[in-house]
Amino acid sequence: MRYFLISLFLISLSVVADTTKSTPPKSKYSNGSGVEISQLSPLQHQKLELLGQVWGFLKYYHPKSASGELNWDHQLFEVLPDYLKASNQIQAEQVLSNWVTKLGKVDLCTSCQPTKSDSKLKPDHFWLNNIKSKKLVQQLEYIYKNRYQGKHHYVAYENSPAPTFTNEKAYKDMAYPDIGHRLLSLYRYWNIVHYFFPYKYLTDTNWQEVLSKHLPNFILAENELAYELAVTKLLEEADDSHVVLWGKNAIFSQNKYQAPYIARWVENQLIVSSLIPLLKKPNYHYQLEVGDVITEFNGVPINEVIRQKTSLIAASNFKGKMLRLGYQLFVDSKKLTSITVIRKSNSLSFQLNNLPPKNIDFNKVDVPKIAGSHSKLQGNVGYISIGQLAINDVDSAMSELFDTNGIIIDLRQYPKEPTLHALGKYFVNKPIEFVSATGAKLDNPGEIETKDKLKVNPGNSLYQKPLVVLINEQSQSQPEFIAMALQKGVNTTLVGSNSAGADGDMTFFYLPGGLKTSFSGVGIYYPNGEETQRIGIIPDVRVEPTIEGIKQGKDELLDAAIALIKEKNHSSL
């Protein structure tokens, strides 16, 4: 988790490569689409929204696109000039109908299966209701009923249960894409989410409305920074902490400095939670102290800063946004940052000296206070750090801790290795289902079906003393998966606060301008279908850190876990 957040916010990110498996010769569209739009009138807005929906529909269903026979990016650029000339909806729909006809005959499909009634999500072609042309509707409905069934050119399953989006050209040499490529970026993202994101139905903004909402941002983006801000705002709509934006881009390149602090949302206030050690300039004067409550940042009230910055942060929930903001807050484009804090009831203002990131030791951010993969704590309590535990060390660790009065497994870090089954076998006494997973059907894009119910199986030795599992908003993805399995243990208690609410393997794809992004590609639920996305794993005993505890350097969740084990052992006597 620490590496994930630092790589996201505190360093310059590298240029990404194209998704194509080989480098094709440059086409006439490699450096520009040739598309021009002088203004975004209500009619143009309506037309471009429909075009994006039809283009995505054909991309995933039509044999000419889905097989890779036609380059579907190029098809967009070729239909746009005539489409933009249409002076009303009827003419626009005629252009689309002519386009479909030109693509050629679609053979009858003898293997196409109907959507399962119990699938989690079903194909949603809601926009067909807005088309006036009966001919165009009939053409599109026929294509869906006889959709492509072979190896798909643009999506596949490879080495993960999450779909892989193949052959999505990144146009990495085009830092500021022209209008055609900016439209391509919006269309590509909206349709990938629309057809393959398992949590599409959980977004705050109805996904049906997102394409129309963001069209102006992409059309009117005047430079590289404006384009990437448009992409960032679009990504935020997914409400998923697995959403990340990588690439050599204007947003990150303007942030050349960093003050060596981390902030954290505690007791409904944003406080200074960590002072980051330095690699150079050891005599740097830290003006802020751990526990300082931030009230203003660069002259702006902190509540307004939070509102502005979280609108550009993709996360599953508010605490996820605040976790990311805490790492991002002190990144700046200027050498000086003004800040006002409350310390011991006094309001204090400072001018912080920001440093180049190369002077800051980010490897010392959130370093675990307990070294090693496992150890014995006071009261003969075992402790396992999931972020430091290797698979090959699980059995020896459990052997050393088997005679303890209880074990604490700390899931507030990202696992070093996937130790779920090697560890889980010690805490269950029978095979037991702990998770239900969903996945996209590639022969029917838009259908998300339940694929597996996974089990954790017992081993030869059962640990029957109390098991306490620590979770909070830093427990994201694999730690949440592990927590769901350990919950099934014979004597397990979860302590802390809700986990991140972003489970399931990540899937990745590229957008024009050399940008790479991601989201949760697999849906994860409890076996009874209960949601975990955006909610997180809910603890049995809720413990939140306090400002005073952070000032004193306490780990209040760990202290509560030790006390709970002591209490459980005492009550069992």
Side-chain angles (χ1 to χ4, degrees):
M1 185 65 182
R2 181 172 72 251
Y3 173 78
F4 175 82
L5 289 166
I6 293 171
S7 66
L8 178 59
F9 291 119
L10 304 182
I11 61 174
S12 298
L13 301 173
S14 61
V15 179
V16 296
D18 282 357
T19 54
T20 45
K21 295 178 180 177
S22 60
T23 303
K26 287 194 174 183
S27 73
K28 62 179 180 179
Y29 298 116
S30 295
N31 297 316
S33 65
V35 174
E36 295 182 3
I37 300 176
S38 58
Q39 61 179 353
L40 187 62
S41 66
L43 175 61
Q44 290 286 48
H45 189 130
Q46 179 184 349
K47 287 163 49 183
L48 289 171
E49 180 182 5
L50 177 60
L51 176 60
Q53 293 158 343
V54 173
W55 177 84
F57 176 96
L58 295 173
K59 176 178 182 177
Y60 292 114
Y61 295 135
H62 198 288
K64 289 289 182 68
S65 170
S67 67
E69 182 177 341
L70 294 176
N71 183 309
W72 212 243
D73 293 358
H74 295 180
Q75 283 290 306
L76 175 63
F77 304 144
E78 289 172 8
V79 78
L80 265 167
D82 287 341
Y83 187 74
L84 291 171
K85 292 174 185 176
S87 59
N88 54 52
Q89 183 178 348
I90 294 174
Q91 290 182 12
E93 291 178 2
Q94 185 60 54
V95 172
L96 294 177
S97 180
N98 293 342
W99 181 31
V100 173
T101 300
K102 185 179 178 181
L103 292 175
K105 181 183 177 182
V106 174
D107 294 331
L108 289 173
C109 178
T110 58
S111 60
C112 293
Q113 298 295 317
T115 301
K116 294 179 181 177
S117 61
D118 61 348
S119 285
K120 187 70 177 179
L121 286 177
K122 300 175 176 64
D124 181 11
H125 309 135
F126 66 94
W127 42 270
L128 285 173
N129 296 324
N130 300 325
I131 296 177
K132 294 181 179 180
S133 168
K134 290 183 180 180
K135 179 182 178 181
L136 178 58
V137 171
Q138 290 171 352
Q139 287 175 301
L140 297 175
E141 288 179 340
Y142 176 85
I143 289 169
Y144 172 68
K145 290 177 183 177
N146 299 282
R147 59 191 176 274
Y148 181 70
Q149 295 293 287
K151 181 179 179 182
H152 209 289
H153 185 68
Y154 290 106
V155 61
Y157 282 116
E158 294 183 347
N159 298 317
S160 167
T164 299
F165 297 99
T166 54
N167 298 301
E168 297 290 8
K169 187 173 173 62
Y171 301 97
K172 62 180 180 177
D173 296 328
M174 194 182 297
Y176 171 49
D178 68 358
I179 284 182
H181 285 85
R182 297 201 302 275
L183 274 175
L184 171 63
S185 182
L186 173 61
Y187 291 171
R188 184 185 290 177
Y189 187 83
W190 186 85
N191 280 288
I192 285 177
V193 170
H194 184 64
Y195 289 101
F196 299 102
F197 182 41
Y199 301 122
K200 176 185 68 173
Y201 63 98
L202 291 176
T203 56
D204 288 341
T205 302
N206 187 323
W207 198 255
Q208 295 181 3
E209 303 170 6
V210 169
L211 178 57
S212 176
K213 176 181 175 181
H214 288 267
L215 256 171
N217 293 339
F218 281 78
I219 294 295
L220 303 176
E222 296 180 343
N223 51 42
E224 181 184 355
L225 177 59
Y227 165 64
E228 287 163 7
L229 284 172
V231 171
T232 301
K233 291 176 181 178
L234 175 64
L235 269 52
E236 190 271 339
E237 297 278 15
D239 296 318
D240 178 19
S241 290
H242 271 150
V243 172
V244 189
L245 180 63
W246 289 276
K248 182 180 180 181
N249 56 68
I251 294 175
F252 284 99
S253 63
Q254 65 177 345
N255 294 324
K256 300 178 180 178
Y257 301 99
Q258 162 84 40
Y261 304 97
I262 299 296
R264 188 173 180 184
W265 185 250
V266 181
E267 296 185 293
N268 294 318
Q269 298 182 91
L270 194 62
I271 71 164
V272 177
S273 61
S274 301
L275 312 183
I276 310 176
L278 303 180
L279 291 169
K280 299 178 181 180
K281 298 188 178 180
N283 59 348
Y284 178 88
H285 177 55
Y286 288 92
Q287 296 166 282
L288 303 182
E289 297 180 3
V290 171
D292 286 350
V293 177
I294 304 169
T295 58
E296 287 189 9
F297 199 85
N298 282 329
V300 180
I302 195 61
N303 287 339
E304 178 60 18
V305 172
I306 290 171
R307 187 193 68 80
Q308 292 176 3
K309 288 186 175 291
T310 55
S311 71
L312 297 174
I313 295 175
S316 297
N317 48 47
F318 178 73
K319 288 195 75 172
K321 286 177 178 283
M322 294 307 296
L323 177 64
R324 292 187 175 187
L325 175 59
Y327 287 85
Q328 180 187 13
L329 182 67
F330 291 96
V331 178
D332 209 328
S333 60
K334 300 170 294 195
K335 289 186 177 181
L336 292 176
T337 294
S338 63
I339 189 170
T340 301
V341 301
I342 299 294
R343 182 187 301 164
K344 297 179 180 178
S345 301
N346 297 315
S347 180
L348 305 173
S349 295
F350 301 98
Q351 290 286 327
L352 302 181
N353 292 310
N354 297 326
L355 301 170
K358 65 181 181 180
N359 293 333
I360 301 173
D361 190 356
F362 294 117
N363 289 321
K364 298 293 177 63
V365 176
D366 291 345
V367 174
K369 293 182 179 179
I370 300 175
S373 64
H374 62 283
S375 58
K376 288 186 179 181
L377 308 179
Q378 63 183 49
N380 193 32
V381 172
Y383 174 84
I384 293 175
S385 168
I386 205 72
Q388 303 176 73
L389 182 67
I391 292 177
N392 292 337
D393 295 334
V394 170
D395 290 338
S396 60
M398 285 301 302
S399 177
E400 292 178 37
L401 301 179
F402 213 81
D403 63 349
T404 54
N405 295 327
I407 290 177
I408 298 167
I409 297 180
D410 195 340
L411 296 182
R412 294 174 295 173
Q413 307 158 33
Y414 198 80
K416 179 179 181 179
E417 294 180 5
T419 52
L420 183 152
H421 294 288
L423 195 56
K425 68 183 181 182
Y426 285 97
F427 301 102
V428 296
N429 59 1
K430 60 182 178 181
I432 188 166
E433 293 177 344
F434 71 97
V435 78
S436 175
T438 66
K441 289 195 69 176
L442 302 191
D443 59 0
N444 189 20
E447 181 178 3
I448 308 290
E449 64 175 348
T450 299
K451 288 200 167 185
D452 298 298
K453 288 188 177 180
L454 304 180
K455 293 181 179 180
V456 57
N457 295 306
N460 297 324
S461 301
L462 175 65
Y463 186 86
Q464 300 186 60
K465 291 292 184 68
L467 168 65
V468 177
V469 179
L470 301 183
I471 57 171
N472 65 5
E473 65 271 20
Q474 293 173 296
S475 310
Q476 179 175 315
S477 195
Q478 194 177 154
E480 297 181 278
F481 201 70
I482 296 172
M484 294 172 76
L486 295 177
Q487 272 184 309
K488 299 298 183 179
V490 296
N491 196 1
T492 302
T493 305
L494 269 59
V495 170
S497 56
N498 290 36
S499 62
D503 208 345
D505 291 32
M506 293 173 74
T507 190
F508 305 88
F509 55 96
Y510 294 80
L511 299 174
L515 302 179
K516 178 182 178 182
T517 188
S518 57
F519 58 66
S520 301
V522 177
I524 296 295
Y525 306 85
Y526 284 103
N528 64 359
E530 183 181 344
E531 302 278 0
T532 63
Q533 179 73 5
R534 304 203 66 189
I535 299 169
I537 311 306
I538 301 173
D540 302 302
V541 178
R542 186 167 294 276
V543 179
E544 302 268 7
T546 64
I547 296 174
E548 188 59 35
I550 289 175
K551 284 182 180 179
Q552 296 177 20
K554 292 183 177 179
D555 186 338
E556 291 164 286
L557 272 68
L558 182 61
D559 293 344
I562 294 171
L564 179 62
I565 289 173
K566 182 178 179 181
E567 178 185 332
K568 282 179 172 287
N569 278 288
H570 180 74
S571 63
S572 67
L573 295 178

